[in-house]
Amino acid sequence: MTTSYAVQSPPRAVSVGRRRKIGWLYQSLLVAALALLAYVAIGNLQDNLAARGLRIGFDFLRQEAGFEIAFHLIPYSSSDTYWCVFLIGITNTLLVTVLAIIFSTILGFAVGIAQLSVNWTLSRSARIYVELVRNLPQLLHILIWYNVALRALPAPKQAHAIGDVAYLSNRGIFLPAVTTDRPGLLALAILLAMAAALALFRSLTVYSERTGRQVSAWLPALAILALLPVAVVGLTGTQIDLSFPQLRGFNFVGGWVLVPELTALVLAMAIYNAAFIAELVRASIESVNKGQREAAAAIGFGWWQTLRFIVIPQAIRVLLPPLSNQYLNILKGSSLAVAIGYPDLVGVFTGISINQTGRAIEIVAMTMAVYLAISLLIGALINLFNHMTRIIER
């Protein structure tokens, strides 16, 4: 008896071209569905606006705002337009974000390194700070600094003087200010000096790493940063004066004032976000192999040399991605300024301007576009810094 076995042919593999066509078909269907959804949503929006006698447009930006703004970096009066209100909201938001990022980064690095200290008191104090601060809501931090700390300061007539040049009162922190007849030119010179100093510092650092020669990059960079604005002022004949705050009546005049809302917001955001940055710093440092620190100590490196030349360059690669997310949280957290009356973009534009103009769609869309653009800029700068500090394998 013979047994026959049927030989089955293997299933035909789908060709690469056919899979690609199927993939394009699915993507086309998805795009068509999204386009149809957008078409229906826009049509529904237009019908609802027409039923209420409204329309979409940005002509309101040329209308007079009619309200004052307590704190602004650019000249403004109530007779200016809503476009000026929009610009003031952007500059005030950027000011808070930049200051909070700088101070939280400095404090976060210090606390993060302190957590790894061999000093028991220092490491435990840093740990208590992190656990206490990061487990309280950020809004509560802002309200505590604004209502408890700064509002408890004395009135201007009893203000705390710091060397007769700066004063602390419940109206704000009054500081000496530099005044000039060409502020735009001076700001441009400072920005160019910062860019030139950064480029010079980077080029000298790369040269030192490639050649093995000890080259001081800090002194030339600081010299460029200081001398370039001075040269611009001298060559253009720009007038520079120093204005000091002076008590006149019930308040100070002259100088530059940090309003309590700005001070409370920056302090609260810096202290709160520094706790999260400290944890990121601690984790990134601990990700570096302990054997490398031991090898550095074996060849005579001190604690600071080991941290600067061995640990931090490797820890930065681990630190940057989550650090960029924390910077984005700082930007978005600045919108809590509305709770204490600081005139940020959300407060003066999404709040007051919507109530006066009724253009909610346009104003919300512009606000979303600003936050999206700033977030993309922060991400791009972090990626650029990550590219500049990458370890090149040879």
Side-chain angles (χ1 to χ4, degrees):
M1 181 177 180
T2 59
T3 304
S4 61
Y5 296 94
V7 179
Q8 296 182 352
S9 60
R12 289 193 323 185
V14 181
S15 64
V16 176
R18 186 178 177 185
R19 288 201 304 267
R20 186 174 299 173
K21 291 179 181 179
I22 294 175
W24 278 109
L25 177 62
Y26 288 153
Q27 295 179 46
S28 301
L29 291 175
L30 177 60
V31 171
L34 293 177
L36 179 62
L37 181 62
Y39 176 78
V40 173
I42 293 175
N44 187 31
L45 174 63
Q46 291 177 343
D47 293 340
N48 290 332
L49 290 176
R52 291 167 174 78
L54 302 175
R55 60 184 180 85
I56 295 178
F58 296 91
D59 54 331
F60 73 95
L61 293 174
R62 297 191 295 269
Q63 298 176 5
E64 181 179 318
F67 62 89
E68 293 288 347
I69 298 178
F71 178 80
H72 46 83
L73 297 177
I74 59 179
Y76 173 81
S77 66
S78 59
S79 59
D80 286 329
T81 62
Y82 285 105
W83 176 251
C84 293
V85 174
F86 179 60
L87 295 180
I88 288 174
I90 293 176
T91 53
N92 287 353
T93 298
L94 285 175
L95 177 64
V96 169
T97 302
V98 171
L99 292 178
I101 285 176
I102 292 174
F103 293 135
S104 63
T105 302
I106 296 173
L107 180 59
F109 264 83
V111 175
I113 295 174
Q115 289 187 91
L116 302 175
S117 174
V118 296
N119 187 308
W120 186 89
T121 303
L122 181 60
S123 61
R124 293 283 79 79
S125 299
R127 190 63 193 174
I128 291 173
Y129 164 82
V130 170
E131 295 299 333
L132 177 64
V133 170
R134 71 174 181 173
N135 288 305
L136 295 178
Q138 187 172 3
L139 180 59
L140 183 59
H141 282 277
I142 296 174
L143 295 176
I144 289 175
W145 276 101
Y146 183 67
N147 293 308
V148 177
L150 296 180
R151 285 300 180 185
L153 291 173
K157 287 189 174 182
Q158 292 82 32
H160 299 303
I162 303 176
D164 292 331
V165 295
Y167 300 90
L168 303 179
S169 75
N170 56 11
R171 300 283 184 90
I173 302 176
F174 297 87
L175 304 170
V178 177
T179 59
T180 175
D181 57 341
R182 298 179 181 177
L185 179 62
L186 183 60
L188 180 61
I190 294 175
L191 290 176
L192 291 177
M194 292 173 61
L198 181 61
L200 180 61
F201 179 84
R202 177 60 184 169
S203 62
L204 291 177
T205 303
V206 171
Y207 173 79
S208 176
E209 292 175 352
R210 288 180 178 177
T211 61
R213 298 180 180 178
Q214 292 292 334
V215 178
S216 177
W218 285 103
L219 290 179
L222 292 176
I224 290 291
L225 185 61
L227 296 179
L228 185 57
V230 173
V232 171
V233 170
L235 293 175
T236 59
T238 303
Q239 298 294 327
I240 299 292
D241 295 317
L242 196 59
S243 174
F244 292 93
Q246 297 179 353
L247 182 62
R248 299 284 178 82
F250 295 100
N251 204 355
F252 288 93
V253 296
W256 192 51
V257 56
L258 293 174
V259 294
E261 294 80 9
L262 173 63
T263 307
L265 192 61
V266 171
L267 287 175
M269 292 180 63
I271 292 173
Y272 176 77
N273 289 279
F276 293 90
I277 294 177
E279 277 295 279
L280 299 178
V281 171
R282 180 195 60 79
S284 62
I285 291 177
E286 288 187 333
S287 68
V288 179
N289 196 318
K290 184 179 178 181
Q292 298 194 35
R293 292 191 288 269
E294 295 174 349
I299 63 176
F301 273 31
W303 175 81
W304 172 247
Q305 288 178 311
T306 303
L307 200 63
R308 178 184 175 187
F309 296 109
I310 306 297
V311 177
I312 290 182
Q314 299 179 74
I316 285 292
R317 302 168 66 187
V318 181
L319 174 65
L320 284 180
L323 185 63
S324 64
N325 291 333
Q326 195 61 41
Y327 287 168
L328 295 180
N329 289 335
I330 292 176
L331 168 65
K332 291 177 286 188
S334 66
S335 60
L336 293 174
V338 69
I340 57 174
Y342 177 75
D344 73 321
L345 182 62
V346 173
V348 298
F349 199 58
T350 311
I352 301 176
S353 299
I354 282 184
N355 293 332
Q356 294 192 173
T357 63
R359 301 295 185 90
I361 297 175
E362 299 90 329
I363 291 177
V364 170
M366 293 175 65
T367 305
M368 291 171 58
V370 169
Y371 277 102
L372 178 61
I374 298 175
S375 299
L376 293 176
L377 177 61
I378 292 175
L381 292 176
I382 292 293
N383 290 335
L384 177 62
F385 182 75
N386 191 20
H387 177 76
M388 293 173 60
T389 57
R390 73 189 189 280
I391 297 177
I392 302 176
E393 298 181 358
R394 299 175 182 176

